[in-house]
Amino acid sequence: MKTLYAIFAGLIVFSSWPAGAQQYPTKVVTMIVPFAAGGPTDTVARLIAIPMTNTLKQQVIIENVGGAGGTIAANRVAKAAPDGYTILIHHIGMSTAPALYRKLPYKPLEDFEPIGLINEVPMTLIARQNFPPKDLKDLIAYVKKNKDKVAYANAGLGAASHLCGMLFMTAIETDLTTVPYKGTAPAMNDLLGGQVDFMCDQTTNTTSQIKAGKVKVYAVTTKTRVKSLPNVPTMHEAGLPNFEVSVWHALYAPKGTPKPVIDVLVKALQAALKDATVAKRFADLGTEPIALNRGTPDALRTHLKAEIDKWSPIIKKESVYSD
Ligand code: ASP
Protein backbone atom coordinates (compact mmCIF):
# COMPACT_ATOMS: atom_id res chain seq x y z
CA MET A 1 0.00 0.00 0.00
CA LYS A 2 2.79 2.33 1.03
CA THR A 3 4.67 1.58 -2.19
CA LEU A 4 1.58 2.20 -4.28
CA TYR A 5 1.06 5.51 -2.51
CA ALA A 6 4.69 6.48 -3.15
CA ILE A 7 4.36 5.67 -6.86
CA PHE A 8 1.13 7.65 -7.03
CA ALA A 9 2.69 10.65 -5.23
CA GLY A 10 5.69 10.43 -7.53
CA LEU A 11 3.43 10.49 -10.57
CA ILE A 12 1.69 13.60 -9.33
CA VAL A 13 5.01 15.42 -8.83
CA PHE A 14 6.34 14.17 -12.14
CA SER A 15 3.24 15.20 -14.07
CA SER A 16 3.47 18.74 -12.71
CA TRP A 17 6.63 19.23 -14.79
CA PRO A 18 5.97 20.59 -18.26
CA ALA A 19 7.02 18.30 -21.10
CA GLY A 20 10.77 18.35 -21.52
CA ALA A 21 11.44 20.04 -18.17
CA GLN A 22 12.51 16.88 -16.38
CA GLN A 23 16.16 17.79 -16.61
CA TYR A 24 15.78 21.51 -16.07
CA PRO A 25 17.88 23.40 -16.92
CA THR A 26 18.85 22.19 -20.38
CA LYS A 27 19.90 25.62 -21.67
CA VAL A 28 21.13 29.04 -20.58
CA VAL A 29 19.16 30.77 -17.81
CA THR A 30 18.76 34.55 -18.19
CA MET A 31 18.78 36.67 -15.05
CA ILE A 32 17.25 40.06 -15.80
CA VAL A 33 18.79 42.98 -13.90
CA PRO A 34 16.44 45.99 -13.76
CA PHE A 35 19.26 48.56 -13.79
CA ALA A 36 22.36 49.46 -15.79
CA ALA A 37 25.46 47.27 -16.01
CA GLY A 38 28.20 48.01 -13.49
CA GLY A 39 25.80 49.28 -10.81
CA PRO A 40 24.92 47.84 -7.39
CA THR A 41 22.21 45.38 -8.42
CA ASP A 42 24.26 44.26 -11.41
CA THR A 43 27.21 43.61 -9.08
CA VAL A 44 25.13 41.38 -6.79
CA ALA A 45 23.67 39.57 -9.82
CA ARG A 46 27.05 38.86 -11.41
CA LEU A 47 28.52 37.62 -8.12
CA ILE A 48 25.74 35.11 -7.43
CA ALA A 49 25.48 34.02 -11.08
CA ILE A 50 28.85 32.25 -10.82
CA PRO A 51 27.97 29.70 -8.09
CA MET A 52 24.45 29.40 -9.54
CA THR A 53 25.99 28.48 -12.90
CA ASN A 54 28.11 25.83 -11.18
CA THR A 55 25.12 24.33 -9.39
CA LEU A 56 22.76 24.43 -12.38
CA LYS A 57 25.47 23.19 -14.75
CA GLN A 58 24.10 25.72 -17.21
CA GLN A 59 25.27 29.26 -17.73
CA VAL A 60 23.33 31.97 -15.86
CA ILE A 61 23.69 35.05 -18.03
CA ILE A 62 22.87 38.61 -17.04
CA GLU A 63 20.70 40.89 -19.14
CA ASN A 64 20.41 44.53 -18.08
CA VAL A 65 16.98 46.01 -18.74
CA GLY A 66 17.10 49.46 -17.16
CA GLY A 67 14.49 52.20 -17.07
CA ALA A 68 11.49 53.42 -15.09
CA GLY A 69 13.09 52.63 -11.74
CA GLY A 70 13.28 48.89 -12.41
CA THR A 71 9.63 48.46 -13.41
CA ILE A 72 10.31 47.76 -17.11
CA ALA A 73 12.42 44.71 -16.23
CA ALA A 74 9.99 43.45 -13.60
CA ASN A 75 7.12 43.71 -16.08
CA ARG A 76 9.12 41.85 -18.69
CA VAL A 77 9.75 38.93 -16.32
CA ALA A 78 6.12 38.95 -15.12
CA LYS A 79 5.10 38.36 -18.76
CA ALA A 80 7.91 35.89 -19.64
CA ALA A 81 7.35 32.16 -20.20
CA PRO A 82 7.12 30.46 -16.79
CA ASP A 83 9.76 27.87 -17.59
CA GLY A 84 12.66 28.84 -15.34
CA TYR A 85 14.76 30.25 -18.17
CA THR A 86 13.97 33.88 -17.39
CA ILE A 87 14.33 35.02 -13.80
CA LEU A 88 14.47 38.43 -12.15
CA ILE A 89 16.78 39.87 -9.56
CA HIS A 90 15.20 42.90 -7.94
CA HIS A 91 15.50 44.90 -4.76
CA ILE A 92 13.41 46.95 -2.35
CA GLY A 93 11.87 48.61 -5.43
CA MET A 94 9.64 45.57 -5.79
CA SER A 95 7.87 46.74 -2.63
CA THR A 96 7.80 50.49 -3.30
CA ALA A 97 6.63 50.46 -6.95
CA PRO A 98 2.96 49.64 -6.17
CA ALA A 99 2.65 52.90 -4.22
CA LEU A 100 4.76 54.93 -6.65
CA TYR A 101 3.06 53.92 -9.92
CA ARG A 102 -0.63 54.45 -10.44
CA LYS A 103 -0.64 52.08 -13.39
CA LEU A 104 1.92 49.45 -12.50
CA PRO A 105 1.47 46.76 -15.19
CA TYR A 106 2.22 43.86 -12.81
CA LYS A 107 1.42 42.82 -9.25
CA PRO A 108 4.53 42.02 -7.20
CA LEU A 109 2.71 39.58 -4.91
CA GLU A 110 0.65 37.86 -7.58
CA ASP A 111 2.61 37.77 -10.82
CA PHE A 112 5.80 36.07 -9.62
CA GLU A 113 6.99 32.92 -7.94
CA PRO A 114 9.37 34.03 -5.20
CA ILE A 115 12.69 32.15 -5.10
CA GLY A 116 14.44 33.72 -2.12
CA LEU A 117 16.22 36.68 -0.55
CA ILE A 118 19.89 37.33 -1.32
CA ASN A 119 21.25 40.12 0.89
CA GLU A 120 20.69 43.52 2.47
CA VAL A 121 22.89 46.41 1.40
CA PRO A 122 23.49 49.63 3.35
CA MET A 123 23.34 52.93 1.48
CA THR A 124 25.70 55.88 1.66
CA LEU A 125 25.01 59.56 1.16
CA ILE A 126 27.79 60.76 -1.13
CA ALA A 127 28.67 63.84 -3.19
CA ARG A 128 31.07 64.88 -5.89
CA GLN A 129 34.54 65.29 -4.47
CA ASN A 130 34.55 69.10 -4.60
CA PHE A 131 31.03 69.63 -3.24
CA PRO A 132 31.46 72.31 -0.52
CA PRO A 133 29.63 70.82 2.54
CA LYS A 134 32.02 68.93 4.79
CA ASP A 135 29.64 66.94 6.98
CA LEU A 136 25.97 66.01 7.10
CA LYS A 137 24.88 69.05 9.11
CA ASP A 138 26.68 71.27 6.64
CA LEU A 139 25.13 69.41 3.75
CA ILE A 140 21.64 69.94 5.10
CA ALA A 141 22.21 73.67 5.60
CA TYR A 142 23.83 73.95 2.17
CA VAL A 143 21.12 72.18 0.18
CA LYS A 144 18.38 74.09 1.99
CA LYS A 145 20.08 77.35 1.08
CA ASN A 146 20.89 76.35 -2.51
CA LYS A 147 17.88 74.20 -3.27
CA ASP A 148 17.41 75.60 -6.77
CA LYS A 149 21.03 74.97 -7.68
CA VAL A 150 21.83 71.50 -6.38
CA ALA A 151 21.07 68.31 -8.32
CA TYR A 152 20.38 64.95 -6.70
CA ALA A 153 21.00 61.91 -8.91
CA ASN A 154 18.92 58.74 -8.73
CA ALA A 155 18.02 55.66 -10.75
CA GLY A 156 14.39 56.66 -11.36
CA LEU A 157 11.11 56.39 -9.51
CA GLY A 158 11.19 53.03 -7.76
CA ALA A 159 14.95 52.83 -7.38
CA ALA A 160 16.55 52.60 -3.95
CA SER A 161 18.39 55.86 -4.65
CA HIS A 162 15.02 57.48 -5.27
CA LEU A 163 13.59 56.13 -2.02
CA CYS A 164 16.60 57.29 0.00
CA GLY A 165 16.46 60.74 -1.63
CA MET A 166 12.75 61.00 -0.93
CA LEU A 167 13.31 60.13 2.74
CA PHE A 168 16.12 62.68 2.90
CA MET A 169 14.02 65.46 1.38
CA THR A 170 11.18 64.63 3.77
CA ALA A 171 13.54 64.65 6.73
CA ILE A 172 14.97 68.05 5.84
CA GLU A 173 11.61 69.37 4.56
CA THR A 174 13.09 70.53 1.28
CA ASP A 175 12.26 69.58 -2.31
CA LEU A 176 15.26 69.22 -4.59
CA THR A 177 15.88 68.83 -8.30
CA THR A 178 16.41 65.16 -9.12
CA VAL A 179 18.14 63.74 -12.18
CA PRO A 180 17.05 60.19 -13.07
CA TYR A 181 19.34 57.62 -14.72
CA LYS A 182 18.89 53.99 -15.81
CA GLY A 183 20.93 52.91 -12.84
CA THR A 184 23.39 54.37 -10.39
CA ALA A 185 26.36 53.21 -12.50
CA PRO A 186 25.74 56.00 -15.05
CA ALA A 187 24.70 58.32 -12.19
CA MET A 188 28.05 57.65 -10.50
CA ASN A 189 29.86 58.52 -13.75
CA ASP A 190 28.14 61.88 -13.83
CA LEU A 191 28.81 62.45 -10.14
CA LEU A 192 32.50 61.75 -10.72
CA GLY A 193 32.37 64.14 -13.67
CA GLY A 194 30.68 66.82 -11.56
CA GLN A 195 27.51 67.00 -13.68
CA VAL A 196 25.38 66.23 -10.61
CA ASP A 197 26.07 67.05 -6.97
CA PHE A 198 25.05 64.22 -4.69
CA MET A 199 23.22 60.94 -4.36
CA CYS A 200 22.40 58.15 -1.96
CA ASP A 201 23.54 54.78 -3.25
CA GLN A 202 24.38 51.29 -2.11
CA THR A 203 27.79 50.40 -0.71
CA THR A 204 28.09 47.76 -3.45
CA ASN A 205 28.55 50.70 -5.83
CA THR A 206 30.11 53.37 -3.65
CA THR A 207 32.70 51.59 -1.47
CA SER A 208 35.58 51.65 -3.96
CA GLN A 209 34.98 55.30 -4.90
CA ILE A 210 34.78 56.27 -1.23
CA LYS A 211 37.97 54.37 -0.39
CA ALA A 212 39.77 55.90 -3.36
CA GLY A 213 38.70 59.36 -2.17
CA LYS A 214 36.95 60.06 -5.45
CA VAL A 215 33.67 60.98 -3.80
CA LYS A 216 32.79 62.66 -0.52
CA VAL A 217 30.83 60.55 1.96
CA TYR A 218 28.54 61.97 4.63
CA ALA A 219 26.89 58.98 6.27
CA VAL A 220 25.65 55.40 6.01
CA THR A 221 21.94 54.73 6.19
CA THR A 222 21.96 51.72 8.50
CA LYS A 223 21.33 51.77 12.25
CA THR A 224 24.93 50.76 12.95
CA ARG A 225 28.15 51.61 11.14
CA VAL A 226 29.29 49.44 8.23
CA LYS A 227 32.33 47.23 8.93
CA SER A 228 34.00 47.98 5.60
CA LEU A 229 33.60 51.77 6.18
CA PRO A 230 34.28 52.06 9.92
CA ASN A 231 34.96 55.82 9.89
CA VAL A 232 31.71 56.80 8.23
CA PRO A 233 29.03 57.83 10.75
CA THR A 234 25.44 56.66 10.56
CA MET A 235 22.83 59.22 9.50
CA HIS A 236 21.56 59.08 13.05
CA GLU A 237 25.01 59.89 14.49
CA ALA A 238 25.63 62.58 11.87
CA GLY A 239 22.49 64.53 12.63
CA LEU A 240 19.38 62.92 11.11
CA PRO A 241 17.86 60.84 13.91
CA ASN A 242 16.17 57.58 12.98
CA PHE A 243 16.98 57.86 9.29
CA GLU A 244 17.28 54.24 8.28
CA VAL A 245 17.05 52.35 5.01
CA SER A 246 18.79 49.30 3.59
CA VAL A 247 18.30 47.60 0.28
CA TRP A 248 17.30 43.95 0.15
CA HIS A 249 17.70 41.92 -3.03
CA ALA A 250 15.80 38.82 -4.07
CA LEU A 251 15.15 36.44 -6.96
CA TYR A 252 11.81 35.82 -8.69
CA ALA A 253 10.46 33.68 -11.52
CA PRO A 254 7.28 34.33 -13.51
CA LYS A 255 4.05 33.11 -11.91
CA GLY A 256 3.26 29.54 -12.90
CA THR A 257 6.87 28.35 -13.05
CA PRO A 258 6.55 24.70 -11.95
CA LYS A 259 7.46 23.91 -8.36
CA PRO A 260 10.19 21.40 -9.31
CA VAL A 261 11.88 24.15 -11.39
CA ILE A 262 11.61 26.61 -8.48
CA ASP A 263 13.11 23.96 -6.20
CA VAL A 264 16.13 23.69 -8.49
CA LEU A 265 16.52 27.49 -8.52
CA VAL A 266 16.23 27.63 -4.72
CA LYS A 267 19.02 25.03 -4.48
CA ALA A 268 21.20 27.14 -6.78
CA LEU A 269 20.47 30.29 -4.73
CA GLN A 270 21.30 28.44 -1.51
CA ALA A 271 24.62 27.33 -3.00
CA ALA A 272 25.39 30.97 -3.85
CA LEU A 273 24.54 32.05 -0.28
CA LYS A 274 27.03 29.48 1.04
CA ASP A 275 29.74 30.35 -1.49
CA ALA A 276 32.99 31.62 0.06
CA THR A 277 33.86 33.96 -2.82
CA VAL A 278 30.41 35.56 -2.72
CA ALA A 279 30.74 36.05 1.05
CA LYS A 280 34.20 37.61 0.66
CA ARG A 281 33.22 39.98 -2.17
CA PHE A 282 29.99 40.91 -0.37
CA ALA A 283 31.98 41.71 2.80
CA ASP A 284 34.37 43.94 0.84
CA LEU A 285 31.33 45.81 -0.44
CA GLY A 286 29.60 46.23 2.92
CA THR A 287 27.04 43.43 2.69
CA GLU A 288 26.69 39.73 3.51
CA PRO A 289 24.65 36.79 2.22
CA ILE A 290 21.27 36.47 3.92
CA ALA A 291 20.80 33.60 6.43
CA LEU A 292 20.02 30.38 4.55
CA ASN A 293 16.52 30.06 5.99
CA ARG A 294 15.65 33.42 4.37
CA GLY A 295 16.87 32.35 0.95
CA THR A 296 13.55 30.57 0.37
CA PRO A 297 10.23 31.28 -1.39
CA ASP A 298 8.26 31.44 1.88
CA ALA A 299 10.65 33.88 3.54
CA LEU A 300 10.65 36.12 0.46
CA ARG A 301 6.86 36.06 0.13
CA THR A 302 6.48 37.12 3.77
CA HIS A 303 9.20 39.77 3.50
CA LEU A 304 7.81 41.29 0.28
CA LYS A 305 4.34 41.58 1.79
CA ALA A 306 5.73 43.17 4.98
CA GLU A 307 7.79 45.65 2.95
CA ILE A 308 4.83 46.64 0.75
CA ASP A 309 2.83 47.23 3.94
CA LYS A 310 5.70 49.23 5.43
CA TRP A 311 6.52 51.51 2.48
CA SER A 312 3.11 52.11 0.87
CA PRO A 313 1.74 54.45 3.56
CA ILE A 314 5.06 56.34 3.79
CA ILE A 315 5.16 56.90 0.03
CA LYS A 316 1.45 57.72 -0.27
CA LYS A 317 1.89 60.39 2.39
CA GLU A 318 4.50 62.03 0.17
CA SER A 319 2.17 61.92 -2.87
CA VAL A 320 4.95 60.98 -5.28
CA TYR A 321 3.33 59.32 -8.25
CA SER A 322 3.89 58.30 -11.79
CA ASP A 323 1.38 56.94 -14.30
N1 ASP B 1 20.04 49.36 -7.69
C1 ASP B 1 20.12 50.36 -8.72
C2 ASP B 1 21.22 50.05 -9.68
O1 ASP B 1 21.68 48.93 -9.72
C3 ASP B 1 20.21 51.70 -8.19
C4 ASP B 1 19.10 52.03 -7.25
O2 ASP B 1 18.20 51.25 -7.01
O3 ASP B 1 19.16 53.13 -6.78
O4 ASP B 1 21.64 50.91 -10.42
Side-chain angles (χ1 to χ4, degrees):
M1 189 62 195
K2 255 190 187 157
T3 325
L4 257 184
Y5 176 74
I7 293 171
F8 186 60
L11 277 175
I12 293 175
V13 171
F14 195 70
S15 60
S16 66
W17 286 74
Q22 282 81 356
Q23 300 109 39
Y24 170 85
T26 56
K27 58 176 186 182
V28 162
V29 173
T30 302
M31 188 190 292
I32 308 268
V33 171
F35 297 99
T41 303
D42 184 70
T43 298
V44 173
R46 284 175 202 272
L47 284 173
I48 64 161
I50 300 165
M52 286 185 75
T53 293
N54 294 338
T55 310
L56 296 174
K57 301 197 170 50
Q58 286 292 341
Q59 189 84 36
V60 176
I61 59 161
I62 304 297
E63 192 181 331
N64 299 86
V65 180
T71 59
I72 291 174
N75 189 38
R76 169 130 153 224
V77 176
K79 313 279 183 312
D83 55 9
Y85 293 103
T86 307
I87 59 174
L88 172 72
I89 180 171
H90 206 338
H91 63 16
I92 191 167
M94 198 69 155
S95 65
T96 55
L100 288 168
Y101 287 81
R102 282 184 217 268
K103 290 187 204 133
L104 194 65
Y106 57 89
K107 294 196 173 71
L109 283 167
E110 288 167 33
D111 295 347
F112 299 89
E113 301 290 345
I115 297 171
L117 288 155
I118 304 166
N119 64 353
E120 286 213 27
V121 190
M123 301 190 85
T124 45
L125 192 59
I126 59 168
R128 61 180 162 83
Q129 227 275 322
N130 54 358
F131 200 44
K134 58 181 188 325
D135 58 23
L136 185 65
K137 287 203 170 123
D138 241 20
L139 174 75
I140 296 169
Y142 185 89
V143 297
K144 274 177 170 267
K145 199 161 149 223
N146 298 283
K147 67 172 192 258
D148 299 327
K149 284 189 228 133
V150 296
Y152 175 87
N154 68 26
L157 204 66
S161 43
H162 166 266
L163 179 67
C164 184
M166 186 195 87
L167 296 173
F168 180 71
M169 289 179 222
T170 306
I172 67 167
E173 295 171 345
T174 308
D175 266 343
L176 300 167
T177 304
T178 57
V179 185
Y181 293 81
K182 281 193 174 171
T184 48
M188 177 66 91
N189 284 341
D190 274 9
L191 192 77
L192 293 169
Q195 282 92 333
V196 286
D197 298 308
F198 75 124
M199 74 170 169
C200 179
D201 192 24
Q202 298 163 67
T203 54
T204 30
N205 198 37
T206 61
T207 302
S208 53
Q209 309 292 0
I210 291 171
K211 287 196 165 161
K214 293 198 174 142
V215 294
K216 217 171 224 184
V217 60
Y218 295 105
V220 294
T221 63
T222 37
K223 201 180 219 140
T224 54
R225 289 191 183 203
V226 175
K227 262 194 219 133
S228 50
L229 297 168
N231 300 326
V232 181
T234 64
M235 292 284 255
H236 187 91
E237 288 169 336
L240 274 187
N242 304 318
F243 189 106
E244 210 189 311
V245 59
S246 66
V247 183
W248 52 275
H249 285 86
L251 288 180
Y252 307 81
K255 186 78 185 174
T257 305
K259 167 99 171 42
V261 171
I262 297 292
D263 290 345
V264 172
L265 289 164
V266 173
K267 221 173 113 201
L269 169 62
Q270 291 269 325
L273 297 177
K274 284 186 265 190
D275 186 82
T277 311
V278 168
K280 163 84 181 68
R281 289 291 295 130
F282 273 13
D284 293 343
L285 298 172
T287 178
E288 57 185 61
I290 205 97
L292 292 181
N293 65 354
R294 300 189 70 207
T296 61
D298 279 350
L300 173 53
R301 196 175 291 111
T302 308
H303 186 72
L304 177 60
K305 165 109 188 30
E307 286 282 292
I308 292 174
D309 292 347
K310 170 181 169 180
W311 291 112
S312 298
I314 296 173
I315 293 166
K316 284 190 176 141
K317 215 172 115 210
E318 293 311 310
S319 304
V320 210
Y321 286 116
S322 174
D323 284 338

Coordinates of all heavy atoms in Angstrom, one line a residue, residues 40-84:
P40 N 25.0 48.7 -8.6 CA 24.9 47.8 -7.4 C 24.1 46.5 -7.6 O 24.6 45.5 -7.1 CB 24.3 48.7 -6.4 CG 23.7 49.9 -7.1 CD 24.5 50.0 -8.4
T41 N 23.0 46.6 -8.3 CA 22.2 45.4 -8.4 C 22.9 44.4 -9.4 O 23.0 43.2 -9.2 CB 20.8 45.7 -8.9 OG1 20.2 46.6 -7.9 CG2 19.9 44.5 -9.0
D42 N 23.5 45.0 -10.4 CA 24.3 44.3 -11.4 C 25.4 43.5 -10.7 O 25.7 42.4 -11.0 CB 24.8 45.2 -12.5 CG 25.5 44.6 -13.6 OD1 24.8 43.9 -14.4 OD2 26.7 44.7 -13.7
T43 N 26.1 44.2 -9.8 CA 27.2 43.6 -9.1 C 26.8 42.4 -8.3 O 27.4 41.3 -8.3 CB 27.8 44.7 -8.1 OG1 28.3 45.7 -8.9 CG2 29.0 44.1 -7.3
V44 N 25.7 42.5 -7.6 CA 25.1 41.4 -6.8 C 24.8 40.2 -7.7 O 25.1 39.1 -7.5 CB 23.9 41.8 -6.0 CG1 23.2 40.6 -5.3 CG2 24.3 42.8 -4.9
A45 N 24.1 40.6 -8.8 CA 23.7 39.6 -9.8 C 24.9 38.8 -10.4 O 24.9 37.6 -10.4 CB 22.9 40.2 -11.0
R46 N 25.9 39.5 -10.8 CA 27.1 38.9 -11.4 C 27.8 38.0 -10.4 O 28.4 37.0 -10.7 CB 28.0 39.9 -12.1 CG 27.4 40.4 -13.4 CD 28.1 41.5 -14.1 NE 27.2 42.2 -14.9 CZ 27.0 41.9 -16.2 NH1 27.6 40.9 -16.8 NH2 26.1 42.6 -16.9
L47 N 27.8 38.4 -9.1 CA 28.5 37.6 -8.1 C 27.8 36.3 -7.8 O 28.4 35.3 -7.7 CB 28.7 38.4 -6.8 CG 29.8 39.5 -6.9 CD1 29.8 40.3 -5.6 CD2 31.2 38.8 -7.0
I48 N 26.5 36.4 -7.7 CA 25.7 35.1 -7.4 C 25.6 34.2 -8.7 O 25.4 33.0 -8.5 CB 24.4 35.3 -6.7 CG1 23.4 36.1 -7.6 CG2 24.5 36.0 -5.4 CD1 22.0 35.9 -7.2
A49 N 25.7 34.8 -9.8 CA 25.5 34.0 -11.1 C 26.6 33.0 -11.2 O 26.3 31.9 -11.8 CB 25.5 34.9 -12.3
I50 N 27.7 33.2 -10.6 CA 28.8 32.2 -10.8 C 28.6 30.9 -10.1 O 28.5 29.9 -10.7 CB 30.2 32.9 -10.4 CG1 30.5 34.1 -11.3 CG2 31.3 31.9 -10.5 CD1 31.6 35.0 -10.8
P51 N 28.3 31.0 -8.7 CA 28.0 29.7 -8.1 C 26.6 29.1 -8.6 O 26.5 27.9 -8.6 CB 27.9 30.1 -6.6 CG 27.8 31.5 -6.5 CD 28.5 32.1 -7.8
M52 N 25.7 30.0 -9.0 CA 24.4 29.4 -9.5 C 24.7 28.6 -10.8 O 24.2 27.6 -11.1 CB 23.4 30.5 -9.8 CG 22.8 31.1 -8.5 SD 21.5 32.3 -8.7 CE 20.2 31.2 -9.3
T53 N 25.6 29.2 -11.7 CA 26.0 28.5 -12.9 C 26.6 27.1 -12.6 O 26.3 26.1 -13.2 CB 27.0 29.3 -13.7 OG1 26.3 30.5 -14.1 CG2 27.6 28.6 -14.9
N54 N 27.5 27.1 -11.6 CA 28.1 25.8 -11.2 C 27.1 24.8 -10.7 O 27.2 23.6 -11.0 CB 29.2 26.1 -10.1 CG 30.3 26.9 -10.6 OD1 30.5 27.0 -11.8 ND2 31.0 27.6 -9.7
T55 N 26.1 25.3 -9.9 CA 25.1 24.3 -9.4 C 24.2 23.8 -10.5 O 23.8 22.7 -10.5 CB 24.3 25.0 -8.3 OG1 25.2 25.6 -7.4 CG2 23.4 24.0 -7.6
L56 N 23.7 24.8 -11.3 CA 22.8 24.4 -12.4 C 23.4 23.7 -13.5 O 22.7 23.1 -14.4 CB 22.1 25.7 -12.9 CG 21.2 26.5 -11.9 CD1 20.7 27.8 -12.5 CD2 20.0 25.6 -11.5
K57 N 24.7 23.8 -13.6 CA 25.5 23.2 -14.8 C 25.0 23.8 -16.1 O 25.0 23.1 -17.1 CB 25.4 21.7 -14.7 CG 26.0 21.1 -13.5 CD 26.3 19.6 -13.5 CE 27.1 19.2 -12.3 NZ 26.5 19.5 -11.0
Q58 N 24.5 24.9 -16.0 CA 24.1 25.7 -17.2 C 24.5 27.2 -16.9 O 24.3 27.6 -15.7 CB 22.6 25.6 -17.5 CG 22.1 24.3 -18.0 CD 22.6 24.1 -19.5 OE1 23.0 25.0 -20.2 NE2 22.6 22.8 -19.9
Q59 N 24.9 27.9 -17.9 CA 25.3 29.3 -17.7 C 24.1 30.1 -17.3 O 23.0 30.0 -17.8 CB 25.8 29.8 -19.1 CG 26.4 31.1 -19.0 CD 27.9 31.0 -18.6 OE1 28.6 30.1 -19.0 NE2 28.4 32.0 -17.9
V60 N 24.3 30.9 -16.2 CA 23.3 32.0 -15.9 C 23.9 33.3 -16.4 O 24.9 33.7 -16.0 CB 23.2 32.1 -14.3 CG1 22.2 33.2 -14.0 CG2 22.6 30.8 -13.8
I61 N 23.2 33.8 -17.4 CA 23.7 35.0 -18.0 C 22.9 36.2 -17.5 O 21.7 36.1 -17.1 CB 23.7 35.0 -19.6 CG1 22.3 34.8 -20.1 CG2 24.7 34.0 -20.1 CD1 22.2 35.2 -21.6
I62 N 23.5 37.4 -17.5 CA 22.9 38.6 -17.0 C 22.4 39.5 -18.2 O 23.2 39.7 -19.2 CB 23.9 39.5 -16.2 CG1 24.5 38.6 -15.1 CG2 23.3 40.8 -15.7 CD1 23.5 38.2 -14.0
E63 N 21.2 39.9 -18.1 CA 20.7 40.9 -19.1 C 20.2 42.1 -18.4 O 19.4 42.1 -17.5 CB 19.6 40.3 -19.9 CG 19.2 41.1 -21.2 CD 18.1 40.5 -22.0 OE1 17.9 39.3 -22.0 OE2 17.4 41.3 -22.6
N64 N 20.8 43.3 -18.7 CA 20.4 44.5 -18.1 C 19.3 45.2 -18.8 O 19.4 45.5 -20.0 CB 21.6 45.5 -18.0 CG 22.8 44.9 -17.2 OD1 23.6 44.2 -17.8 ND2 22.8 45.2 -16.0
V65 N 18.1 45.4 -18.1 CA 17.0 46.0 -18.7 C 16.6 47.2 -17.8 O 15.8 47.1 -16.9 CB 15.8 45.0 -18.9 CG1 14.6 45.7 -19.5 CG2 16.2 43.8 -19.6
G66 N 17.3 48.3 -18.0 CA 17.1 49.5 -17.2 C 15.9 50.3 -17.6 O 15.3 50.0 -18.6
G67 N 15.5 51.2 -16.7 CA 14.5 52.2 -17.1 C 13.3 52.1 -16.1 O 13.0 51.1 -15.6
A68 N 12.7 53.3 -15.9 CA 11.5 53.4 -15.1 C 11.7 52.8 -13.7 O 10.8 52.1 -13.2 CB 10.3 52.9 -15.8
G69 N 12.8 53.1 -13.1 CA 13.1 52.6 -11.7 C 13.0 51.1 -11.5 O 12.7 50.7 -10.4
G70 N 13.3 50.3 -12.6 CA 13.3 48.9 -12.4 C 12.0 48.2 -12.8 O 11.9 47.0 -12.9
T71 N 10.9 49.0 -13.1 CA 9.6 48.5 -13.4 C 9.5 47.8 -14.8 O 8.8 46.9 -15.0 CB 8.5 49.5 -13.2 OG1 8.7 50.6 -14.1 CG2 8.4 50.0 -11.8
I72 N 10.4 48.3 -15.7 CA 10.3 47.8 -17.1 C 10.8 46.3 -17.1 O 10.2 45.4 -17.6 CB 11.2 48.6 -18.1 CG1 10.5 50.0 -18.3 CG2 11.4 47.9 -19.4 CD1 11.3 51.0 -19.1
A73 N 11.9 46.1 -16.3 CA 12.4 44.7 -16.2 C 11.5 43.8 -15.5 O 11.2 42.7 -15.9 CB 13.8 44.8 -15.5
A74 N 10.9 44.3 -14.4 CA 10.0 43.5 -13.6 C 8.8 43.1 -14.4 O 8.3 41.9 -14.4 CB 9.6 44.2 -12.3
N75 N 8.3 44.0 -15.2 CA 7.1 43.7 -16.1 C 7.5 42.7 -17.1 O 6.7 41.8 -17.4 CB 6.6 45.0 -16.8 CG 5.3 44.8 -17.5 OD1 4.5 44.1 -17.0 ND2 5.2 45.4 -18.7
R76 N 8.7 42.8 -17.7 CA 9.1 41.8 -18.7 C 9.2 40.4 -18.1 O 8.7 39.5 -18.8 CB 10.5 42.3 -19.2 CG 11.1 41.3 -20.0 CD 11.6 41.9 -21.3 NE 12.8 41.1 -21.8 CZ 13.9 41.6 -22.2 NH1 14.1 42.9 -22.3 NH2 14.8 40.8 -22.6
V77 N 9.7 40.3 -16.9 CA 9.7 38.9 -16.3 C 8.3 38.4 -15.9 O 8.0 37.3 -16.1 CB 10.7 38.9 -15.1 CG1 10.7 37.5 -14.5 CG2 12.1 39.3 -15.6
A78 N 7.5 39.4 -15.5 CA 6.1 38.9 -15.1 C 5.4 38.3 -16.3 O 4.6 37.4 -16.2 CB 5.3 40.2 -14.6
K79 N 5.8 38.8 -17.5 CA 5.1 38.4 -18.8 C 5.9 37.3 -19.5 O 5.5 36.8 -20.5 CB 4.9 39.5 -19.7 CG 4.3 40.8 -19.1 CD 2.8 40.7 -19.0 CE 2.1 41.9 -18.4 NZ 2.5 42.7 -17.3
A80 N 7.1 36.9 -19.0 CA 7.9 35.9 -19.6 C 7.3 34.5 -19.5 O 6.5 34.2 -18.6 CB 9.3 36.0 -19.1
A81 N 7.8 33.6 -20.3 CA 7.3 32.2 -20.2 C 7.8 31.6 -18.8 O 8.9 31.8 -18.4 CB 8.0 31.3 -21.3
P82 N 6.8 31.0 -18.1 CA 7.1 30.5 -16.8 C 7.9 29.1 -16.8 O 7.3 28.1 -16.4 CB 5.7 30.3 -16.2 CG 4.8 30.1 -17.3 CD 5.4 30.8 -18.5
D83 N 9.1 29.1 -17.4 CA 9.8 27.9 -17.6 C 11.1 27.8 -16.9 O 11.9 26.9 -17.1 CB 10.0 27.6 -19.1 CG 10.7 28.8 -19.8 OD1 11.2 29.7 -19.1 OD2 10.7 28.8 -21.0
G84 N 11.4 28.8 -16.1 CA 12.7 28.8 -15.3 C 13.8 29.4 -16.1 O 15.0 29.4 -15.6

